[in-house]
C-alpha cells in the first residue's frame, strides 16, 4: 500500500516516528508521501523524507496562503536547491472556503502560482478542496490541462463531482478515512461511480483516522482499514484494491 498523503514529518510523530513507520511496514505500507503545508513545513518534509526513505511534496496549504511569498517559484526553487532529495509533487494547494483561514483572493492567487510551477517542472499536483468546488474548477479550467497530472486529496464529494474531476481533468481522487464513516454514503457512491482506476489511498494523518480508530491520532498503518472498506464498497478483493491503487499512485508520483 502507498499512503499518498500523510504529515509524518509533523511534531505529532516526533515522539515515536520510528515505531510508527515500523507499524506501517508491518501493516503492508510500502511507500509514504509526507506533504508540506507551508515553506518551512515543506523543508521539514523533505528533510524527514530524506532521513527515512519517504517521498515528500512541497506546497502551501490554502490556510497559509495569506503568508505565501510573492514569488512562489523562486521560493520553491530555493527549497529544492537546499534539499537532499527532490520533491515528488507540488502541494498541498487549493481552496478551503470552509475555514477561510486566508482571504479567498489570496487562496486563488497562490493556487494559480502552484499550478504554473507544476506546469513548468512537470511535477504532479496534490489538491486540497473544501466547500470551494465552483471556484476550484474555474481555476483549473484556466490553468490546468493535460499532460499536467494530480490528485484531489481527501476527496469527500458526491458522484457528480467525482466524475467531473476524473472526466474533465483526468485527476485522481485521494480516498481516506472518511470513506469508513457511517455518514459517508455519498462518498461511497462517488467511489463506485469512478471505480478503482481513478483512486489512490491516503491517511492525511495525524487527522481523520478511519473506523475503528476514529478519534485517535491517525497514522499510515491505518490506511489498511480504508483499503478494506474500499474493497467492500467496490465488491472486489482487498488484494485487488491494494495492487491497483498502489500501481496508480506509483505511476502518478514516479514519472
Ligand atoms: Zn488537505
Ligand atoms: Zn494534508
Amino acid at each position: 500500500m502507498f499512503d499518498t498523503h500523510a504529515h509524518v514529518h509533523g511534531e505529532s510523530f516526533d515522539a515515536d516516528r520510528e515505531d510508527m513507520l515500523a507499524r506501517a511496514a508491518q501493516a503492508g505500507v510500502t511507500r509514504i508521501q509526507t506533504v508540506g503545508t507551508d515553506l518551512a513545513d515543506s523543508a521539514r518534509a523533505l528533510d524527514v523524507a530524506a532521513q527515512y526513505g519517504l517521498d515528500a511534496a512541497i506546497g502551501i496549504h490554502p490556510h497559509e496562503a495569506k503568508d505565501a511569498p510573492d514569488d512562489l517559484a523562486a521560493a520553491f526553487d530555493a527549497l529544492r536547491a537546499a534539499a537532499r532529495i527532490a520533491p515528488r509533487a507540488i502541494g498541498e494547494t487549493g481552496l478551503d472556503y470552509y475555514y477561510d483561514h486566508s482571504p479567498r483572493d489570496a487562496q486563488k492567487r497562490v493556487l494559480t502560482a502552484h499550478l504554473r510551477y507544476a506546469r513548468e517542472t512537470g511535477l504532479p499536483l496534490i489538491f486540497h478542496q473544501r466547500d470551494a468546488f465552483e471556484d476550484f474548477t474555474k481555476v483549473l479550467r484556466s490553468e490546468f490541462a493535460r499532460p499536467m497530472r494530480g490528485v484531489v486529496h481527501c476527496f469527500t464529494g458526491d458522484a457528480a463531482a467525482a466524475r467531473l474531476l476524473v472526466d474533465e481533468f483526468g485527476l485522481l481522487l485521494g480516498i481516506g478515512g472518511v470513506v469508513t464513516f457511517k455518514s459517508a454514503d455519498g462518498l461511497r457512491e462517488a467511489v463506485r461511480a469512478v471505480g478503482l482506476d481513478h483512486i489512490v489511498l491516503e491517511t492525511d494523518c495525524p487527522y481523520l483516522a478511519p473506523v475503528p480508530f476514529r478519534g485517535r491520532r491517525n497514522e499510515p498503518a491505518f490506511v489498511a482499514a480504508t483499503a478494506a472498506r474500499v474493497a467492500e464498497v467496490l465488491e472486489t478483493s482487498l488484494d485487488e484494491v491494494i495492487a491497483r491503487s498502489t500501481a496508480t499512485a506509483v505511476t502518478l508520483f514516479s514519472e
Side-chain angles (χ1 to χ4, degrees):
M1 274 171 288
F2 188 161
D3 181 357
T4 60
H5 192 111
H7 300 278
V8 294
H9 59 284
E11 62 183 14
S12 51
F13 296 106
D14 281 353
D16 68 339
R17 187 165 288 108
E18 287 182 15
D19 290 345
M20 172 272 291
L21 294 173
R23 286 192 294 275
Q26 188 72 32
V29 177
T30 49
R31 201 159 151 180
I32 298 168
Q33 178 153 251
T34 199
V35 178
T37 56
D38 64 24
L39 287 177
D41 189 64
S42 295
R44 179 155 169 79
L46 286 163
D47 195 46
V48 170
Q51 191 179 344
Y52 292 98
L54 313 174
D55 293 354
I58 58 169
I60 297 180
H61 194 285
H63 290 350
E64 318 300 335
K66 59 185 181 307
D67 300 317
D70 289 335
D71 190 344
L72 186 75
F76 281 171
D77 282 346
L79 203 58
R80 291 166 72 198
R84 289 181 282 161
I85 59 166
R88 294 282 192 178
I90 301 303
E92 55 187 294
T93 179
L95 303 176
D96 192 317
Y97 294 177
Y98 180 79
Y99 286 108
D100 275 331
H101 285 332
S102 285
R104 294 180 177 184
D105 280 353
Q107 295 188 40
K108 284 188 261 191
R109 179 181 64 79
V110 174
L111 169 58
T112 299
H114 281 78
L115 283 155
R116 290 177 184 171
Y117 192 76
R119 183 164 52 216
E120 277 169 30
T121 57
L123 287 164
L125 284 141
I126 299 172
F127 294 115
H128 170 112
Q129 187 285 123
R130 190 160 183 199
D131 283 4
F133 191 74
E134 204 179 311
D135 275 6
F136 178 65
T137 52
K138 209 181 281 180
V139 175
L140 289 186
R141 280 182 189 117
S142 71
E143 298 290 341
F144 182 95
R146 293 177 177 89
M148 293 170 74
R149 300 162 298 139
V151 58
V152 178
H153 108 88
C154 192
F155 179 80
T156 54
D158 62 13
R163 277 222 179 84
L164 189 152
L165 294 171
V166 168
D167 294 344
E168 183 174 345
F169 300 108
L171 289 165
L172 297 170
L173 309 181
I175 302 298
V178 175
V179 79
T180 69
F181 294 179
K182 198 169 180 224
S183 58
D185 284 335
L187 173 58
R188 286 186 283 270
E189 190 57 46
V191 167
R192 278 188 287 267
V194 300
L196 194 47
D197 284 342
H198 304 286
I199 283 171
V200 298
L201 302 176
E202 65 169 76
T203 56
D204 203 17
C205 66
Y207 316 107
L208 291 171
V211 173
F213 308 106
R214 203 171 171 186
R216 288 173 54 181
R217 181 193 70 172
N218 198 3
E219 62 176 60
F222 299 167
V223 77
T226 296
R229 191 72 179 98
V230 168
E232 283 174 14
V233 169
L234 294 175
E235 297 178 12
T236 185
S237 70
L238 179 57
D239 285 351
E240 180 78 0
V241 169
I242 291 172
R244 286 173 60 191
S245 66
T246 303
T248 302
V250 166
T251 300
L252 178 64
F253 293 117
S254 303
E255 289 179 344

